[in-house]
């Protein structure tokens, strides 16, 4: 692979951010979740940031958003079929991150 043809930057552009991997992990582990359920699983995230991150993931076709015509409106988020292709990548990055943290003495 030639450096000028490397598409790692493309992939990282979609995944980079403090919250995106955590959002994806929650959706992979829990399946379909409502906004409030996602928010509850990530107590440190603001509503504004969760909305922003979900919109970005939706724009990249990683997350599906379904709005039900109810009062009050019900909105659910899930990993799209295309987004499922990230599971192996995220698992590999998690394993590498764990090994790196151990190497640096951040984990024992």
């Amino acid at each position: 692979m030639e450096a000028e043809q490397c598409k790692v930057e493309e992939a990282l552009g979609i995944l980079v951010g403090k919250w995106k991997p955590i959002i994806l992990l929650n959706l992979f582990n829990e399946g379909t979740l409502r906004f409030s359920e996602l928010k509850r699983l990530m107590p440190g995230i603001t509503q504004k940031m969760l909305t922003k991150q979900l919109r970005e993931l939706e724009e990249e076709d990683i997350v599906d958003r379904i709005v039900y015509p109810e009062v009050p409106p019900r909105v659910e988020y899930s990993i799209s079929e295309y987004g499922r292709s990230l599971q192996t990548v995220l698992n590999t990055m998690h394993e590498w991150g764990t090994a790196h943290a151990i190497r640096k003495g951040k984990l024992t």
Side-chain angles (χ1 to χ4, degrees):
M1 171 178 25
E2 307 236 354
E4 63 272 1
Q5 295 174 336
C6 179
K7 297 300 180 201
V8 172
E9 185 177 340
E10 180 76 23
L12 288 177
I14 295 168
L15 297 175
V16 161
K18 178 179 179 180
W19 298 106
K20 285 181 184 176
I22 298 168
I23 291 168
L24 294 172
L25 177 66
N26 280 310
L27 291 174
F28 275 121
N29 288 340
E30 304 294 328
T32 301
L33 292 170
R34 295 176 73 167
F35 184 90
S36 60
E37 293 170 324
L38 264 171
K39 175 88 173 73
R40 209 171 299 121
L41 291 169
M42 298 180 290
I45 194 170
T46 65
Q47 184 167 332
K48 180 179 177 180
M49 181 57 70
L50 180 56
T51 298
K52 179 182 182 297
Q53 301 286 277
L54 284 167
R55 282 187 184 147
E56 290 174 7
L57 290 168
E58 185 183 3
E59 286 173 14
E60 296 294 341
D61 299 322
I62 306 300
V63 168
D64 286 331
R65 177 179 183 259
I66 299 173
V67 179
Y68 294 92
E70 301 172 353
V71 178
R74 178 170 50 117
V75 180
E76 293 181 340
Y77 296 90
S78 60
I79 299 291
S80 69
E81 193 60 41
Y82 176 64
R84 292 190 190 288
S85 65
L86 282 172
Q87 191 157 23
T88 303
V89 173
L90 292 172
N91 286 342
T92 301
M93 289 176 74
H94 170 73
E95 290 169 11
W96 187 88
T98 300
H100 182 72
I102 290 169
R103 178 183 174 104
K104 293 297 186 175
K106 297 176 184 175
L107 284 177
T108 56

